[in-house]
Amino acid sequence: MKVALFVPCYVDQFYPKAAIATLELLEKLGVEVHYPKNQTCCGQPMANSGYEHLTTGCNNLFIDNFIGYDYIVCPSGSCTLHIKEHLHSPEQEEKAVDIRKRVYELTEFLVDVLKVDNLKARFPYKVGLHNSCHGLRGLRISQMSELVAPAFSKPAQLLDMVEGLELVPLSRNDDCCGFGGTFCVVEEAVSSKMGIDRVDDHIEHGAQYITSADLSCLMHLEGILRRQKSDVKVIHVAEILNHYSNE
Amino acid sequence: MSNVTGKSHPELAADFNKDEPRVDWHDETLWWVRAKRDIAAHKLPEWELLRETASQIKHNVLSNLYTYLQQFEANAQKNGVVVHWAADAAEHNQIVHKLLSDKGINRMVKSKSMLTEECHLNEYLKEHGIDVIDSDLGERIVQLAGEPPSHIVLPCIHKKKEEIGDIFHEHLGSAKGESDPKILTETARQHLREVFLTRRAALTGVNFAVAETGEFVICTNEGNADMGAHLAEIHIASMGFEKIIPERKHLGVFLRLLTRSATGQPITTYSSHFKKPQEGREIHIVIVDNGRSIQLGREDFRNSLKCIRCGACMNTCPVYRKSGGHSYHTAIAGPIGSILAPNLDMKKYADLPFASTLCGSCSNVCPVKINIHEQLYAWRQVIVKEGYSPASKTAAMKAMAFTLSSPVLYRSAGKMGRVVFKYAPFAVNNKLNPWYKHREMPKAPEQSFGEWYSKRKEGQN
Ligand code: SF4
């Protein structure tokens, strides 16, 4: 199995630790991981702002980098969803279609493809799980509260395998955090308020860490936590799953 | 309602957010309604099947609209109902006005109708010397306050009971400082009773129009539509042409979905069927287009015409809950309003499709499965292509696209200042840096993952 690691631009630049954890975790699980070094961005920031027509360059670059692998794994639900739904190329649409079928968010890859049922991980803290909307409703890595259907959560299923970790319940299990790409600056007032309310829900339930399969949400929540000088930290789910501590 | 302030959604939402306790109260009130909807929906194991069925029925309607409308018209006429067609809001208002003035009527009672809000009927009739009283309690409150509704089902959800008490004190003579909802409701009831008994004309909306029988159904919780329509000598029903359903049996699907989605009730208190006028009375139906046929022709957006106006997408929308209905500066607020409004005026409503995080909650709560968030995404593309996007944003996006299309540029820009600082979504408008107002910027690490990875490779070699 040849797996390519897709590290979104903001993860590459700001949260390399999450990408390192993803890589190490996959290697621990016996996966041969390649990192195509010319990758940049999935194009989502432009597309969600209404400039999908400017993403041709990004799309073609993505195809050149990621064609030919069995799977493409990414530690971000949002970017994975963007590729799945919007990767197109007038010149090489067949390749685009192929890639769209092979791209996986990390937790869905671990659960659905690798079928991981135990992990050597220990993280003895109270953790709040933030469901990112793109992971939840877009990729369906968890069940959303709007639908009448049995509940499940791939990230929670994995976190349950971690020794010492206690998932805290939340009042609103899947409310959006308000990041939303350019939304967070265009609609600064609402975006911040949404983030503050998300953070409060976790804090009120005693979370020491907020985790998620999406770093874009965590980047937003982290910005709010740090402004509030809170002790609560954000951590990508890969970092927890790859973590072993004897504390 | 027209944007009297000239402000955009972000500005109006920022104004609303100046009073944080009010935002919390607004958010919690609507979340409570959403939670009630969840309980009601989860009680029906067949809920998702119902949604799919409703969506398919509406799909059929939209594909055969002409046939069903004609069938409806013929059957309604057979029942003795007069059918009028209005191409736009102006024509709708003229028809209503003429019906009233032909009879020398200058006072009308009206039950809730978002279509008349869309057409600005109240203002129009007022200018023509006709007094309109809204009989829905919430509508009456906002009418007395001189405001448009802020929600399609809960028109005065933005008002606290103390504020309503003040309005009633001023206009209806209730005691000063009275805010007990029971007493206020009774005050309104007395006041409206007098209205019902003395108005000769009543206008209602239409929730469902049945092609097969030519009848139409109005859903209210207060029975105010019936009260008005049964006592008046002329009943005018205004309906958007998408309100049609093929057969009576389909009502079973929609009536089960509508109120559960709207308020969590199993069914509305009054689902009133109107078919024939009583002896000596008249029923008129005005079937309105007002941009709907244009939307029907826009393939990406035609599904929005399936909407049954339950308001569930507003209650679930975190942006609506935290920015208030008036921030959308259009008759129909929230997610659905944001895909309907640009169809009417793309320039004026260019901000609305961006007033969303694209979280997708709206699409999944919608009882007729409108792909609302996908349409918001699609509108963004249209709005940018049509040139209704700020030039500064276009320039930033071009620079960003250019950098991100080249691995070399990306890497060097990343080194220079962590590329994302420079071009990332949250730094696009870096003069004012709205990100920083309530949030710290991410800390830049010493090296990117790409840099770490090359070093590791070197180490391995
Ligand atoms: S779009 Fe759907 S959820 Fe929103 S008001 Fe219409 S029917 Fe209800």
Side-chain angles (χ1 to χ4, degrees), chain B residues 152 307-313 336 366-368 370 372:
Chain B
I152 58 177
C307 176
I308 58 172
R309 303 286 192 265
C310 72
C313 57
I336 180 68
C366 177
V368 287
I370 300 171
I372 305 174

Short mmCIF file of all heavy atoms in Angstrom, two decimals, chain B residues 152 307-313 336 366-368 370 372, ligand 1:
data_model
loop_
_atom_site.label_atom_id
_atom_site.label_comp_id
_atom_site.label_asym_id
_atom_site.label_seq_id
_atom_site.Cartn_x
_atom_site.Cartn_y
_atom_site.Cartn_z
N ILE B 152 -39.01 34.06 9.81
CA ILE B 152 -40.21 33.79 9.02
C ILE B 152 -41.31 33.08 9.81
O ILE B 152 -42.46 33.14 9.46
CB ILE B 152 -39.90 32.99 7.73
CG1 ILE B 152 -39.22 31.67 8.03
CG2 ILE B 152 -39.06 33.83 6.78
CD1 ILE B 152 -38.97 30.82 6.79
N CYS B 307 -38.67 25.24 -0.84
CA CYS B 307 -38.81 25.70 0.55
C CYS B 307 -40.26 25.80 1.01
O CYS B 307 -41.10 26.36 0.32
CB CYS B 307 -38.13 27.06 0.70
SG CYS B 307 -38.32 27.79 2.33
N ILE B 308 -40.55 25.23 2.18
CA ILE B 308 -41.90 25.34 2.75
C ILE B 308 -41.94 26.35 3.90
O ILE B 308 -42.90 26.37 4.69
CB ILE B 308 -42.45 23.97 3.19
CG1 ILE B 308 -41.54 23.30 4.24
CG2 ILE B 308 -42.66 23.05 2.00
CD1 ILE B 308 -42.14 22.04 4.87
N ARG B 309 -40.91 27.14 4.04
CA ARG B 309 -40.87 28.23 5.03
C ARG B 309 -41.12 27.77 6.47
O ARG B 309 -41.97 28.32 7.16
CB ARG B 309 -41.94 29.29 4.67
CG ARG B 309 -41.81 29.89 3.27
CD ARG B 309 -40.66 30.86 3.16
NE ARG B 309 -40.73 31.61 1.91
CZ ARG B 309 -40.09 31.29 0.79
NH1 ARG B 309 -39.31 30.22 0.76
NH2 ARG B 309 -40.19 32.05 -0.27
N CYS B 310 -40.35 26.77 6.87
CA CYS B 310 -40.49 26.29 8.24
C CYS B 310 -39.56 27.02 9.19
O CYS B 310 -39.77 26.99 10.40
CB CYS B 310 -40.21 24.79 8.29
SG CYS B 310 -38.47 24.40 8.06
N GLY B 311 -38.51 27.61 8.67
CA GLY B 311 -37.58 28.36 9.51
C GLY B 311 -36.55 27.52 10.23
O GLY B 311 -35.72 28.05 10.98
N ALA B 312 -36.55 26.20 10.00
CA ALA B 312 -35.59 25.35 10.72
C ALA B 312 -34.14 25.72 10.39
O ALA B 312 -33.26 25.65 11.25
CB ALA B 312 -35.84 23.88 10.39
N CYS B 313 -33.91 26.13 9.14
CA CYS B 313 -32.54 26.46 8.77
C CYS B 313 -32.04 27.69 9.53
O CYS B 313 -30.85 27.83 9.80
CB CYS B 313 -32.40 26.65 7.25
SG CYS B 313 -33.50 27.90 6.54
N ILE B 336 -31.78 30.30 4.00
CA ILE B 336 -32.62 30.23 2.80
C ILE B 336 -32.75 31.62 2.18
O ILE B 336 -32.67 31.78 0.95
CB ILE B 336 -34.00 29.58 3.09
CG1 ILE B 336 -34.85 29.51 1.82
CG2 ILE B 336 -34.78 30.30 4.16
CD1 ILE B 336 -34.36 28.57 0.77
N CYS B 366 -33.10 20.81 6.88
CA CYS B 366 -34.17 21.21 5.97
C CYS B 366 -35.10 20.03 5.66
O CYS B 366 -34.66 19.01 5.16
CB CYS B 366 -33.58 21.76 4.68
SG CYS B 366 -34.84 22.19 3.47
N PRO B 367 -36.39 20.19 5.92
CA PRO B 367 -37.33 19.08 5.73
C PRO B 367 -37.54 18.71 4.26
O PRO B 367 -38.07 17.64 3.98
CB PRO B 367 -38.62 19.60 6.35
CG PRO B 367 -38.51 21.08 6.30
CD PRO B 367 -37.07 21.38 6.48
N VAL B 368 -37.16 19.59 3.34
CA VAL B 368 -37.30 19.24 1.92
C VAL B 368 -35.93 19.09 1.26
O VAL B 368 -35.81 19.07 0.04
CB VAL B 368 -38.18 20.26 1.15
CG1 VAL B 368 -39.64 20.11 1.54
CG2 VAL B 368 -37.71 21.68 1.41
N ILE B 370 -33.19 20.89 0.85
CA ILE B 370 -32.55 21.86 -0.05
C ILE B 370 -31.06 21.89 0.29
O ILE B 370 -30.70 22.00 1.46
CB ILE B 370 -33.18 23.26 0.12
CG1 ILE B 370 -34.67 23.19 -0.21
CG2 ILE B 370 -32.48 24.28 -0.78
CD1 ILE B 370 -35.44 24.45 0.13
N ILE B 372 -28.77 23.83 0.80
CA ILE B 372 -28.58 25.27 1.02
C ILE B 372 -27.10 25.67 1.00
O ILE B 372 -26.72 26.62 0.31
CB ILE B 372 -29.23 25.71 2.36
CG1 ILE B 372 -30.70 25.31 2.39
CG2 ILE B 372 -29.07 27.22 2.57
CD1 ILE B 372 -31.38 25.56 3.72
S1 SF4 C 1 -34.99 26.15 3.39
FE1 SF4 C 1 -35.72 24.28 4.33
S2 SF4 C 1 -35.29 24.58 6.50
FE2 SF4 C 1 -35.19 26.61 5.57
S3 SF4 C 1 -37.21 27.46 5.79
FE3 SF4 C 1 -37.17 26.46 3.80
S4 SF4 C 1 -37.94 24.40 4.16
FE4 SF4 C 1 -37.41 25.24 6.15
#
